């Protein structure tokens, strides 16, 4: 009887749950979007409905709020929603992209181009989590110590004013300097404060994931509920899972998930036909870093900033290296291949016998402690996919061999 009552209670409870849960098959992060195309007004209206199953903390840091960015590609227009501090936020915010572009030409004339939607254009929806300042394990003792220090500092200022016997000229000079400093540095202080606040907000952001929606006319098959024109068409409510931002290279969809993360690397043998030419190089370039959401949570628990280091090892010693700027734990990050690169000389056959590339993924905390999250090597004596990329690059001079390599 008890089991039967429990089962009936669960069944009745699930029936009363709102519709978002009814449409959900799994519990992965999702975002809801609705797109309306108006041919008469030459606009594309994107409504961010909401999101669900979002992570409430990253490692030992609690999530404060969530923000969604919407971008039309190819285009420079992008919009952001307001921040919501809920794990199932609902925005219902609408953003309008104009499909009528006006470009300036010579002699003060302008040209208007009306763009059409097709399969080559798409909407990118990216969801960010904004973290709190305090970690989850922040103790009340630290806050009490701060309050004590603040109160003691105030008491010290009060006593200092009572027992102060300085001259009036010194006080006048200090007040003059303060007034002059405020007048001349007012604009600079505002600019620096705004930059610092923007940088602080950007550092707190973590990419939960993104989804892309193709603007294929076949996807617009529903009439909008509140249509302004008879020709308006809509995609309806689309709930899409949030995925790490992919690179789009061939074979990228076949890569397997890795607990420590993956890198998109290209290896190219820039060598001429002459065997004695000293200008030959074997160049390794970095394109993108990719991690799963679980991996980012693990990196967040290290309480440090991340960086990547690529080194050229020749006969057991480092001859060249490249190190990225430090960044916060993230799902996906893009690098400039022309800057993020290292090279080894390849003047003749057999010169790369004792050469290898070593790539490290490191976390460095505020105390300066370094923790190697993952690493791997690409070289002639390395097996698996690392050795295959090396062999293919040497076998096809002048051709970039691009692959996703996982950290060990």
């Amino acid at each position: 009887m008890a089991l039967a009552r429990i089962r009936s209670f669960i069944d009745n409870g699930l029936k009363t749950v709102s519709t978002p849960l009814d449409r959900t098959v799994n519990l992965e992060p999702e975002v809801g979007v609705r797109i309306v195309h108006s041919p008469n007004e030459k606009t594309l209206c994107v409504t961010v409905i909401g999101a669900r199953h979002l992570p409430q903390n990253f490692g030992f840091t609690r999530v404060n709020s969530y923000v969604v960015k919407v971008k039309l590609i190819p285009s420079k227009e992008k919009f952001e929603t307001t921040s919501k501090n809920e794990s199932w936020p609902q925005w219902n915010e609408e953003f309008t992209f104009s499909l009528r572009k006006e470009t300036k030409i010579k002699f003060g004339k302008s040209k208007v181009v009306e763009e059409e939607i097709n399969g080559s254009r798409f909407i990118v929806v990216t969801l960010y989590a904004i973290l709190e300042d305090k970690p989850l394990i922040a103790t009340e003792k630290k806050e009490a110590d701060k309050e004590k220090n603040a109160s003691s500092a105030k008491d010290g200022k009060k006593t200092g004013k009572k027992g102060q016997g300085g001259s009036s000229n010194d006080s006048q000079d200090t007040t003059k300097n303060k007034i002059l400093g405020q007048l001349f540095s007012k604009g600079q202080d505002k600019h620096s404060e705004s930059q610092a606040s923007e940088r602080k907000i950007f550092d707190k952001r973590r990419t939960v994931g993104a989804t892309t929606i193709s603007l294929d006319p076949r996807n617009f098959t529903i009439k909008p509920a509140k249509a302004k024109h008879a020709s308006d068409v809509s995609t309806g409510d689309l709930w899409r899972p949030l995925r790490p931002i992919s690179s789009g290279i061939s074979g990228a969809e076949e890569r397997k998930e890795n607990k420590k993360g993956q890198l998109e690397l290209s290896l190219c043998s820039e060598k001429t036909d002459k065997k004695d030419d000293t200008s030959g190089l074997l160049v390794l370039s970095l394109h993108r870093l990719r991690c799963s959401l679980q991996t980012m949570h693990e990196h967040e628990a290290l309480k440090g900033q991340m960086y990547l280091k690529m080194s050229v090892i020749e006969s057991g010693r480092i001859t060249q290296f490249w190190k990225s700027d430090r960044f916060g734990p993230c799902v996906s990050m893009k690098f400039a291949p022309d800057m993020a690169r290292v090279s080894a000389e390849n003047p003749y056959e057999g010169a790369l016998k004792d050469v290898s590339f070593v790539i490290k993924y490191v976390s460095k905390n505020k105390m300066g402690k370094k923790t190697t999250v993952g690493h791997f090597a690409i070289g002639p004596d390395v097996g698996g996919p690392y050795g295959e990329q090396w062999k293919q690059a040497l076998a096809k001079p002048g051709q970039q061999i691009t692959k996703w390599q996982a950290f060990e």
Side-chain angles (χ1 to χ4, degrees):
M1 293 293 292
L3 289 173
R5 288 179 181 177
I6 292 170
R7 287 175 181 172
S8 63
F9 174 76
I10 292 173
D11 294 338
N12 294 330
L14 288 175
K15 288 178 182 178
T16 59
V17 176
S18 58
T19 53
L21 184 62
D22 298 337
R23 294 195 300 261
T24 305
V25 180
N26 47 20
L27 299 179
E28 60 183 349
E30 292 180 330
V31 64
V33 181
R34 180 172 59 251
I35 305 174
V36 177
H37 176 223
S38 179
N40 288 13
E41 297 184 1
K42 301 295 179 183
T43 57
L44 200 69
C45 296
V46 180
T47 302
V48 179
I49 302 169
R52 55 198 182 196
H53 311 312
L54 303 181
Q56 296 183 1
N57 57 72
F58 280 66
F60 292 105
T61 308
R62 186 180 287 108
V63 175
N64 180 42
S65 56
Y66 302 93
V67 172
V68 175
K69 182 174 74 174
V70 182
K71 184 174 175 60
L72 174 63
I73 294 180
S75 176
K76 294 182 179 179
E77 283 187 287
K78 56 184 177 181
F79 301 96
E80 278 194 4
T81 64
T82 56
S83 59
K84 296 281 186 180
N85 56 353
E86 304 169 0
S87 59
W88 284 47
Q90 293 183 359
W91 283 280
N92 291 316
E93 296 182 16
E94 184 178 300
F95 307 102
T96 303
F97 294 91
S98 177
L99 298 177
R100 182 175 293 166
K101 304 295 181 183
E102 184 177 352
T103 56
K104 293 182 179 180
I105 57 178
K106 293 181 180 180
F107 307 109
K109 295 181 180 180
S110 59
K111 182 180 179 182
V112 178
V113 179
E114 295 181 355
E115 300 178 355
E116 297 181 358
I117 62 169
N118 50 52
S120 62
R121 302 172 66 88
F122 51 93
I123 293 289
V124 178
V125 183
T126 310
L127 192 141
Y128 300 96
I130 303 174
L131 306 185
E132 290 184 349
D133 293 329
K134 298 178 183 178
L136 291 171
I137 313 178
T139 57
E140 297 178 358
K141 186 178 179 181
K142 292 181 180 179
E143 296 178 0
D145 292 340
K146 287 182 181 178
E147 291 177 359
K148 286 181 181 178
N149 293 332
S151 61
S152 62
K154 288 180 181 178
D155 295 337
K157 286 181 181 178
K158 288 179 182 178
T159 54
K161 285 181 180 178
K162 288 181 180 179
Q164 192 174 7
S167 61
S168 60
N169 293 328
D170 295 337
S171 62
Q172 289 178 0
D173 292 338
T174 53
T175 53
K176 286 180 181 178
N177 292 332
K178 285 182 180 178
I179 293 169
L180 290 171
Q182 289 177 358
L183 288 172
F184 288 103
S185 63
K186 193 173 182 181
Q188 295 179 357
D189 291 341
K190 284 184 178 180
H191 183 66
S192 59
E193 285 177 4
S194 63
Q195 281 187 339
S197 62
E198 287 178 1
R199 194 182 303 111
K200 192 175 181 182
I201 293 170
F202 183 77
D203 292 340
K204 289 180 186 177
R205 284 195 174 191
R206 299 293 183 269
T207 307
V208 178
T211 185
T212 57
I213 303 170
S214 175
L215 297 181
D216 193 333
R218 291 176 294 181
N219 296 332
F220 294 84
T221 57
I222 301 173
K223 275 286 180 186
K226 298 178 180 179
K228 295 181 181 179
H229 305 280
S231 59
D232 291 356
V233 287
S234 171
T235 59
D237 295 355
L238 302 175
W239 286 90
R240 297 291 183 88
L242 293 167
R243 304 290 188 188
I245 303 170
S246 61
S247 65
I249 64 167
S250 60
E253 65 278 359
E254 298 176 1
R255 60 183 179 272
K256 297 179 180 179
E257 289 291 338
N258 183 268
K259 293 182 179 179
K260 296 183 179 180
Q262 295 171 308
L263 289 179
E264 183 188 27
L265 297 163
S266 63
L267 190 62
C268 180
S269 178
E270 298 177 354
K271 189 176 179 181
T272 59
D273 297 333
K274 297 180 180 180
K275 296 182 180 180
D276 57 345
D277 191 0
T278 57
S279 63
L281 291 174
L282 187 64
V283 182
L284 181 69
S285 304
L286 173 61
H287 295 267
R288 194 183 295 274
L289 165 71
R290 183 180 184 270
C291 297
S292 64
L293 196 61
Q294 181 182 358
T295 303
M296 188 172 58
H297 290 181
E298 294 173 358
H299 295 171
E300 196 78 39
L302 297 173
K303 296 183 179 179
Q305 290 187 311
M306 320 297 291
Y307 69 89
L308 291 163
K309 184 178 179 181
M310 299 191 300
S311 305
V312 181
I313 310 296
E314 295 185 16
S315 301
R317 61 187 183 91
I318 299 175
T319 58
Q320 187 185 358
F321 72 90
W322 171 88
K323 187 188 293 184
S324 71
D325 296 332
R326 278 179 273 181
F327 53 89
C330 57
V331 172
S332 181
M333 190 168 185
K334 191 176 181 180
F335 299 88
D338 55 341
M339 301 294 293
R341 54 186 291 173
V342 289
S343 58
E345 290 187 3
N346 184 20
Y348 56 89
E349 288 185 358
L352 300 174
K353 186 177 180 181
D354 298 326
V355 177
S356 62
F357 297 102
V358 176
I359 298 92
K360 288 186 178 181
Y361 194 15
V362 185
S363 172
K364 186 176 182 180
N365 60 13
K366 294 180 180 179
M367 302 300 293
K369 183 182 177 182
K370 297 179 182 178
T371 304
T372 302
V373 176
H375 71 281
F376 62 87
I378 298 176
D381 299 329
V382 182
Y386 313 110
E388 289 179 5
Q389 188 174 12
W390 178 277
K391 293 176 183 177
Q392 290 178 15
L394 293 180
K396 301 176 181 179
Q399 183 177 345
Q400 284 194 352
I401 307 300
T402 305
K403 289 184 179 293
W404 282 92
Q405 301 291 10
F407 288 106
E408 293 181 346

